[in-house]
Amino acid sequence: MICNSYKSFFKILADDCKLNVINILSKGPLTVSELCKKLECEQSRISHCLQALKKFGFVASQVKGKHRVYSLEPKIMVPLLKLIDEHVEKYHRNLCKCNGVTWREMK
Amino acid sequence: MICNSYKSFFKILADDCKLNVINILSKGPLTVSELCKKLECEQSRISHCLQALKKFGFVASQVKGKHRVYSLEPKIMVPLLKLIDEHVEKYHRNLCKCNGVTWREMK
DNA sequence: CTCTTATATGAATTACATATCATATGAACC
DNA sequence: GGTTCATATGATATGTAATTCATATAAGAG
């Protein structure tokens, strides 16, 4: 096991903003400004997230005039999300207690 | 998508110590003190990691006298690690740059 | 029931990623 | 080339989780 690669893999995805981007892109490709509008989120924040996701192969991008269209890489994301769904369903109670609550408070 | 559950899922696993524990447990069950020795790691640190992993269903434990034996939950971990291996192999170069280097430095 | 070994828990500090703000690049249109 | 719109990048501040150290619990041995 290449431990640091695993860590990077998980770290990138352990973030609300990036997960929201992934979620919304799973419904179809969007430009940066469209993502900002739909997620009611700052442009620079979205861009930072997209760069990280792209660097690690979770999304792809394509220039289209002034705009840049981002799309999910389904090969990794579809089976990954499916797998987690199954686990999340089982451990929903524990996993959900993290909602806006710090790790320590939830104990 | 239950975003916060996903976030929790990834956050737990985005950690060297927990990943080392998972890696070593994938070779077979061990007690806390055995894990400490093999990983050359403090006992309290290992225990904290194990509690987190257990709470979210990644490992199970069993009392055995004074000791407590921990083992992987293979149903989730085996397919998860397999999936990531495939992705990691493809994006190894990017994923590896994180080795002991902060996110900012690696750019 | 005391002592030792094994593990868990709590609190405080440290470390690190993200959010934010300011600014840079880049493309189209004039 | 200058202007405007779209996106990317950089630096710092902020927030949160991990590490650490001290201590608590728990189980077996004597």
Side-chain angles (χ1 to χ4, degrees), chain B residues 7-53:
Chain B
K7 185 174 131 187
S8 306
F9 182 100
F10 290 121
K11 195 158 272 178
I12 305 290
L13 296 171
D15 178 68
D16 279 330
C17 191
K18 300 201 191 90
L19 287 171
N20 283 327
V21 167
I22 286 169
N23 187 32
I24 203 164
L25 286 183
S26 73
K27 294 162 193 164
L30 289 173
T31 67
V32 176
S33 47
E34 285 169 335
L35 281 166
C36 290
K37 247 183 229 162
K38 294 211 178 192
L39 294 174
E40 297 176 346
C41 196
E42 263 197 311
Q43 177 267 317
S44 66
R45 192 178 170 194
I46 296 287
S47 270
H48 280 297
C49 287
L50 286 169
Q51 301 324 304
L53 290 171

Side-chain angles (χ1 to χ4, degrees), chain A residues 50-64:
Chain A
L50 286 168
Q51 298 325 302
L53 289 171
K54 190 182 175 187
K55 173 163 287 201
F56 292 93
F58 298 116
V59 305
S61 77
Q62 199 186 1
V63 177
K64 201 173 184 183

Side-chain angles (χ1 to χ4, degrees), chain A residues 4 6 55-56 85 94 99, chain B residues 4 6 55 85 94 99:
Chain A
N4 278 285
Y6 277 69
K55 173 163 287 201
F56 292 93
D85 275 331
N94 284 333
N99 270 2
Chain B
N4 278 285
Y6 277 70
K55 172 163 288 200
D85 275 331
N94 284 333
N99 270 2

Side-chain angles (χ1 to χ4, degrees), chain B residues 36-98:
Chain B
C36 290
K37 247 183 229 162
K38 294 211 178 192
L39 294 174
E40 297 176 346
C41 196
E42 263 197 311
Q43 177 267 317
S44 66
R45 192 178 170 194
I46 296 287
S47 270
H48 280 297
C49 287
L50 286 169
Q51 301 324 304
L53 290 171
K54 191 183 175 188
K55 172 163 288 200
F56 292 94
F58 297 116
V59 305
S61 77
Q62 198 185 1
V63 177
K64 201 174 184 183
K66 268 195 288 190
H67 297 260
R68 190 172 282 260
V69 181
Y70 282 86
S71 56
L72 269 200
E73 289 283 9
K75 272 191 189 172
I76 177 65
M77 293 318 294
V78 170
L80 179 62
L81 296 180
K82 182 169 179 284
L83 185 61
I84 297 167
D85 275 331
E86 291 163 18
H87 187 78
V88 162
E89 197 183 341
K90 202 170 166 190
Y91 291 93
H92 186 62
R93 207 167 303 157
N94 284 333
L95 288 162
C96 270
K97 278 183 190 155
C98 289

Side-chain angles (χ1 to χ4, degrees), chain A residues 31-72:
Chain A
T31 67
V32 176
S33 46
E34 285 168 334
L35 281 167
C36 291
K37 249 184 228 162
K38 294 213 178 192
L39 294 174
E40 297 178 345
C41 195
E42 263 197 311
Q43 179 268 318
S44 67
R45 193 178 168 194
I46 295 287
S47 270
H48 279 297
C49 288
L50 286 168
Q51 298 325 302
L53 289 171
K54 190 182 175 187
K55 173 163 287 201
F56 292 93
F58 298 116
V59 305
S61 77
Q62 199 186 1
V63 177
K64 201 173 184 183
K66 269 194 286 191
H67 297 260
R68 191 171 283 259
V69 180
Y70 282 86
S71 56
L72 270 200

